[in-house]
Amino acid sequence: MVLNIDRRSLVLGAGLGLGALLLPAGAALAAGLAGATGFTHNVASGEPAADSMLLWTRYVPETAADVVRLQVEVALDQGFSRIVSGAVVRTGAYRDWTAKVTVDGLEPGTVYWYRFVAPDGTRSPVGRTKTLPEGQVSRFNLAVFSCSNLPYGYFNAYGHAAARNDLDLWLHVGDYIYEGPGVLREGFEPDRVPLPASEILAIADYRLRYASYRADPDLQRLHQMAPMVALWDDHESSNDSWEGGAQNHQPAEGDWNLRRAAAMQVYREWMPVSDEPWKAYPIGALATLYRTESRLLARTQPADIGATFKAADPDAALKAFRDGPWRDPSATMLGTTQESWLAHAFKANARTTAWQLVGMGTIIGRTVMPADAVDWLKPDTSERKVAGYRNNIRAARQGLPMWMDRWDGYPQARARLLKAAQAADADLVMLAGDSHNAWAFSLVEDGRPAGVEFAGHSVTSNGLEGDMGADPAMVARGFMAANPEMKWADTSRRGYMMIEVTPRRVTGEWLFMKTIKTRQVEVAGSHRMSVERGRRILSA
């Protein structure tokens, strides 16, 4: 399947469809793209509840039209002999021909099949979805994904998960797309180049990038087979984004607020999500899953540690930074409104559900750079990068983290979240991504266990192993020795997490794909850790 699409042939929102993207060969794609219409990107579902589900598709009419209406059919069988629900939804060029509709009247814990029907009678591919259970639940399985950079490899993690029959839900914790130029990684085929070729800035750019990503067959199959709860991190807008800007947004690229609005609008067009900024999903009496927003609506600018390394006395400057800007209580990842909502939700839901599962874009576990990390670097590492590692090691001696963009760069906000969980007597399980590598943390606040974190590795994006020349096992041991909260790490492999939730324990399994350089779904290994109800610490 070829994704290197001629942008001149792909004018989104202007009546041009992408049905030809499903063709197997590049020549057929090029020949058929200009007149492509119909259901262009398969189907998807999300926002699950016990009695409702949001359904998604994209449909471009063959003849000129401003608006089209699609029928939705929901059935108990794949052959649609037992249709039990339906709806009508409209779409048009104003929303890039994407359509979302929530269907009600469904039964808890039930598998449903659904499809969309166009005005001319053509039907979409058939999707499978499953409502959330009610009451006592003995087991619930979800897969966690993050950081899927299309040019960096094949989405084999998606393909492997989509073929399983033991998963109830997908959770995508961010970096579903990447905003940068579609640069092909060395050694990869050109079918992994997303459009546009430049960095995405405006609505048309973001739409084109999603169209490229959503043409991937493994991602399409993932969405087709189960519902997804999804939240954005930074690359859905721009690297290291916050409420008022981003590390990867420059003044010459225009008004940040316009770019942020475009990114948010297109995400909501192309993803099976509601417009609610955050939400809780009850999984019977077993758990509550939380979708959070920690990037674009209220996150304050990260504290800037960079100037301390240029000071006449860097150690003194680092101490002043640690005791001042780093500990600023006004710094927030979620904003006070969402912080309050989450604290109240913990208090209410911890009484009725055994586990509080929080989907989060970035990691909350404390991580400092190990003192000997420079010794692990490849011999040809640039002086600039070596200097960066040395700076992080120097900061670590003052107790400062290696990533200011994560939760440990916002220590007061981190403390507020963990204290809220402790005050609610909640069994807290954080589910995060962003770092591209795999980590496990037993979280501590005020010297007491506060919960655990399963931090997932990336689908394709490269991690620390890109810099390291040392044995990954040695690197992992070094990170664990330097970070008391960290109980396990893998700094070299790609894949996804499987989270099994039962009344007595939550088990996280990191699955490592054999390769991302060719399209295949073979797993090369895995690692499992668990937390027992009431203990709030991880065990092997």
Side-chain angles (χ1 to χ4, degrees):
M1 177 178 182
V2 174
L3 299 182
N4 189 10
I5 309 160
D6 180 359
R7 182 170 180 172
R8 291 171 300 176
S9 300
L10 189 58
V11 184
L12 299 183
L16 177 63
L18 299 178
L21 289 175
L22 301 180
L23 297 171
L29 172 63
L33 189 59
T37 55
F39 291 101
T40 67
H41 283 79
N42 213 304
V43 295
S45 64
E47 302 296 349
D51 60 355
S52 66
M53 188 69 68
L54 183 150
L55 307 177
W56 179 98
T57 195
R58 184 174 186 269
Y59 176 81
V60 180
E62 186 173 351
T63 57
D66 295 326
V67 172
V68 294
R69 289 169 177 80
L70 305 174
Q71 298 282 337
V72 183
E73 297 176 342
V74 181
L76 288 169
D77 64 307
Q78 197 170 0
F80 287 83
S81 64
R82 293 182 291 164
I83 295 176
V84 295
S85 185
V88 182
V89 61
R90 79 174 61 172
T91 187
Y94 61 90
R95 58 169 301 112
D96 202 16
W97 300 105
T98 62
K100 294 192 295 188
V101 59
T102 297
V103 293
D104 287 302
L106 308 180
E107 294 296 322
T110 302
V111 171
Y112 289 96
W113 304 87
Y114 65 95
R115 65 189 178 193
F116 292 80
V117 183
D120 63 1
T122 59
R123 297 185 176 97
S124 72
V126 173
R128 177 189 180 277
T129 194
K130 187 177 182 181
T131 51
L132 295 181
E134 285 186 337
Q136 299 303 312
V137 180
S138 62
R139 190 179 309 273
F140 190 87
N141 294 332
L142 63 150
V144 183
F145 307 96
S146 67
C147 306
S148 45
N149 198 338
L150 190 83
Y152 275 61
Y154 287 88
F155 291 164
N156 294 333
Y158 292 155
H160 184 271
R164 299 177 65 149
N165 59 12
D166 61 342
L167 288 164
D168 300 292
L169 180 70
W170 317 132
L171 174 64
H172 204 295
V173 293
D175 297 343
Y176 181 97
I177 66 161
Y178 278 70
E179 85 283 9
V183 178
L184 187 66
R185 197 176 182 188
E186 185 178 355
F188 281 68
E189 296 299 322
D191 64 347
R192 303 304 292 176
V193 180
L195 286 183
S198 60
E199 184 174 339
I200 54 178
L201 301 172
I203 285 179
D205 299 329
Y206 282 97
R207 285 174 170 172
L208 185 57
R209 186 61 55 87
Y210 277 94
S212 293
Y213 271 69
R214 290 292 297 273
D216 181 89
D218 293 308
L219 180 51
Q220 286 196 8
R221 187 64 173 169
L222 187 82
H223 278 297
Q224 189 179 6
M225 294 308 296
M228 177 181 287
V229 169
L231 54 105
W232 59 55
D233 191 34
D234 55 341
H235 288 292
E236 287 87 351
S237 54
S238 187
N239 185 56
D240 289 356
S241 54
W242 58 284
E243 180 184 15
Q247 176 275 333
N248 192 34
H249 182 79
Q250 313 307 320
E253 293 173 325
D255 187 333
W256 165 250
N257 289 316
L258 294 178
R259 183 178 185 179
R260 180 179 67 153
M264 292 168 60
Q265 175 180 326
V266 176
Y267 184 88
R268 288 168 172 162
E269 288 174 351
W270 275 85
M271 297 294 288
V273 297
S274 70
D275 291 347
E276 299 160 281
W278 47 80
K279 191 171 182 178
Y281 306 85
I283 305 170
L286 180 63
T288 302
L289 174 65
Y290 300 88
R291 170 169 60 82
T292 60
E293 196 291 316
S294 60
R295 275 293 173 189
L296 299 178
L297 300 182
R299 179 199 275 250
T300 54
Q301 187 172 16
D304 184 6
I305 196 174
T308 63
F309 303 118
K310 302 174 184 178
D313 186 344
D315 291 327
L318 283 166
K319 289 178 183 178
F321 174 84
R322 178 196 64 197
D323 298 336
W326 183 58
R327 290 194 170 130
D328 184 351
S330 71
T332 178
M333 295 273 281
L334 304 178
T336 56
T337 300
Q338 190 179 180
E339 282 187 15
S340 176
W341 167 79
L342 194 57
H344 282 88
F346 283 163
K347 187 175 181 180
N349 296 329
R351 300 191 188 109
T352 58
T353 58
W355 301 96
Q356 308 307 302
L357 312 175
V358 180
M360 188 68 65
T362 53
I363 295 171
I364 200 168
R366 287 196 175 105
T367 314
V368 302
M369 186 67 75
D372 49 354
V374 169
D375 299 333
W376 307 334
L377 298 175
K378 294 176 179 177
D380 60 350
T381 303
S382 69
E383 286 299 320
R384 180 178 179 182
K385 185 161 284 189
V386 171
Y389 275 85
R390 293 192 188 281
N391 286 340
N392 279 325
I393 292 168
R394 192 166 201 162
R397 292 199 290 265
Q398 307 301 331
L400 289 164
M402 55 190 279
W403 288 301
M404 286 293 160
D405 191 57
R406 290 181 6 174
W407 274 92
D408 51 0
Y410 297 71
Q412 298 280 33
R414 178 189 191 273
R416 291 193 295 268
L417 189 154
L418 296 180
K419 286 179 179 178
Q422 289 174 328
D425 195 25
D427 280 280
L428 177 68
V429 177
M430 303 293 296
L431 304 172
D434 182 66
S435 78
H436 306 173
N437 294 123
W439 318 87
F441 297 89
S442 291
L443 306 170
V444 176
E445 182 57 37
D446 283 341
R448 296 185 294 123
V452 304
E453 181 169 45
F454 298 99
H457 44 328
S458 66
V459 172
T460 60
S461 301
N462 60 326
L464 280 170
E465 73 281 356
D467 295 338
M468 298 297 164
D471 181 353
M474 186 181 78
V475 174
R477 288 194 299 269
F479 268 96
M480 286 186 281
N483 294 282
E485 287 189 343
M486 189 183 298
K487 303 306 175 185
W488 174 81
D490 179 278
T491 63
S492 64
R493 293 179 285 182
R494 313 277 72 82
Y496 71 102
M497 290 193 298
M498 204 284 274
I499 307 296
E500 180 186 67
V501 187
T502 69
R504 294 187 59 184
R505 70 177 58 88
V506 174
T507 301
E509 182 180 19
W510 292 263
L511 292 109
F512 305 109
M513 307 311 298
K514 182 177 180 180
T515 184
I516 58 171
K517 293 183 178 181
T518 59
R519 190 175 176 228
Q520 60 165 282
V521 295
E522 186 175 350
V523 172
S526 66
H527 181 81
R528 292 167 65 92
M529 296 191 79
S530 298
V531 56
E532 301 290 329
R533 177 85 189 277
R535 295 205 64 200
R536 296 162 197 175
I537 58 173
L538 285 168
S539 59

